[in-house]
Amino acid sequence: MIKGLYIHIPFCEHICTYCDFAKMVANDQLKEDYMQALVREIEYYSDLTEKAETIYIGGGTPSCLDHSLLEAFLYELSTNVNLSKIKEFNFEVNPSDVNQDFLKILKKYHVSRISMGVQALEPSLLKFLGRTHTIEDVFKAVELLQESGIEYNLDFLYAVPGQTKEMLLKDLEYIQKFNPHHISYYSLIVEDKTILNYWINNHKVTDFPDDIARDYADIIDQRLKELGYHKYEVSNYAKPGFESKHNLIYWDLEEYLGVGLNASSQYNYIRMKNPKGLREYIEGTKKHALNMHLLEDYNPKLELILMGLRKTSGINLEYYKSRVRNDVFEVYPILKKHLDNNLLEIKDGFLKLTEEGMYLANQVYLDII
Ligand code: SF4
């Protein structure tokens, strides 16, 4: 049964230097064509999405859509999914797009959680990352979010080339001031085919040192704990009760449907992915949506471990057994080695990474992949 619905809107005003998501800058006509294609795909799957508990509209930058186009899309969505019954309806935003009219539209369609890409509050880092918002935009947006009463998450990055400890501490001070319900704090990863990767390969920028990144991660963990956040996944922190229900569907390997360009779905023990090409996607929705999907490898025995170990609570050993009909150590006896070397531990029926294991998780993953 599909528990989560992901909707991908790939448009951005500008391309960030580190980004490898499916995104693009597009003209109004292309945006309109794409949004119509999304509606066709959602209509096609309306039987499947009937019982969805969560929705996540991500991108790209979904908030960069023209308000009338956004409202028309949300209206169509509401005719296919009963939005008032959704337990968590997420929407990703850029700080400079947040204003009263925009929030009014989101509230009208029962959006209950906003995820805002702040990334950093140091102007030189924002410029380096290719972000177009300013610190003033963030302040204004946070104020409006607080007034709106909608739950909100702020996304931050650390280990950005040029980021000093003072800059990191300043960001943490701002977090204290903004007091969001949830924080996603990611270490900047240099992905292939990004401007940042090109800069590093051509010695224009030096990659961030691993040992300092680890110190920063410790500082973030400690400070957010002091501020009352519970770390429940490698990069995610929540005030009690504000964990992301939608993301937990992925980490628990539950069933979800992804619609839109390059979106992944997982149900009936298979995983599928939509096409990467915009034209191919739009034309595909005009024919028969299922023809567009490609099969990808799906190995629940492995993925339950990879996903489960991302959570600080770890893998429920009974749940693992009930899902794959085998004990985790029968499937991967090598994991016992990491109990002995203290990268893994078992606590209250859950297999999890130790504090040390969180940093050296790759050693565990390499043994089972
Ligand atoms: S706004 Fe987000 S999706 Fe768009 S280019 Fe930047 S990081 Fe990528």
Side-chain angles (χ1 to χ4, degrees), residues 22-41:
K23 80 295 173 180
M24 68 190 65
V25 177
N27 62 32
D28 290 349
Q29 186 58 55
L30 199 54
K31 286 181 184 171
E32 251 177 62
D33 292 350
Y34 180 81
M35 297 311 286
Q36 282 169 10
L38 266 186
V39 171
R40 283 193 290 273
E41 196 184 7

Side-chain angles (χ1 to χ4, degrees), residues 121-137:
L121 285 144
E122 162 64 35
S124 63
L125 292 187
L126 287 174
K127 192 166 174 226
F128 175 81
L129 294 166
R131 304 294 305 203
T132 50
H133 63 266
T134 61
I135 301 186
E136 291 70 33
D137 290 332

Side-chain angles (χ1 to χ4, degrees), residues 103-251:
L103 292 174
K104 215 165 135 189
I105 296 171
L106 297 194
K107 281 183 101 167
K108 181 174 167 191
Y109 289 95
H110 304 279
V111 169
S112 61
R113 187 173 183 274
I114 285 182
S115 190
M116 184 160 82
V118 176
Q119 316 312 354
L121 285 144
E122 162 64 35
S124 63
L125 292 187
L126 287 174
K127 192 166 174 226
F128 175 81
L129 294 166
R131 304 294 305 203
T132 50
H133 63 266
T134 61
I135 301 186
E136 291 70 33
D137 290 332
V138 177
F139 268 92
K140 203 176 106 215
V142 168
E143 204 180 310
L144 288 170
L145 288 174
Q146 288 173 340
E147 277 169 23
S148 76
I150 303 180
E151 182 184 327
Y152 63 102
N153 164 64
L154 301 183
D155 273 0
F156 275 83
L157 287 170
Y158 71 96
V160 179
Q163 186 182 33
T164 62
K165 190 169 165 186
E166 287 66 37
M167 291 174 189
L168 175 75
L169 294 174
K170 193 89 192 150
D171 282 353
L172 287 162
E173 258 178 51
Y174 279 120
I175 287 176
Q176 179 175 15
K177 207 175 282 183
F178 296 153
N179 196 24
H181 303 91
H182 188 284
I183 298 160
S184 298
Y185 224 128
Y186 299 106
S187 168
L188 181 67
I189 306 288
V190 182
E191 303 283 1
D192 288 348
K193 297 186 189 152
T194 59
I195 300 167
L196 179 57
N197 190 43
Y198 172 82
W199 285 343
I200 289 176
N201 286 341
N202 286 279
H203 311 291
K204 292 177 192 296
V205 168
T206 310
D207 202 359
F208 200 86
D210 284 347
D211 55 335
I212 302 184
R214 183 167 170 172
D215 285 349
Y216 282 19
D218 284 342
I219 293 171
I220 292 164
D221 275 355
Q222 168 145 5
R223 188 64 191 128
L224 293 184
K225 194 172 174 188
E226 287 163 5
L227 294 177
Y229 292 93
H230 151 67
K231 181 174 183 173
Y232 68 107
E233 194 264 351
V234 168
S235 309
N236 284 281
Y237 305 78
K239 291 272 174 77
F242 288 98
E243 293 82 6
S244 162
K245 294 182 182 66
H246 185 84
N247 285 341
L248 281 165
I249 290 173
Y250 301 138
W251 300 326

Side-chain angles (χ1 to χ4, degrees), residues 12 14-16 18-19 21 23 59-61 131:
C12 293
H14 185 263
I15 301 302
C16 300
Y18 57 98
C19 180
F21 301 139
K23 80 295 173 180
T61 313
R131 304 294 305 203

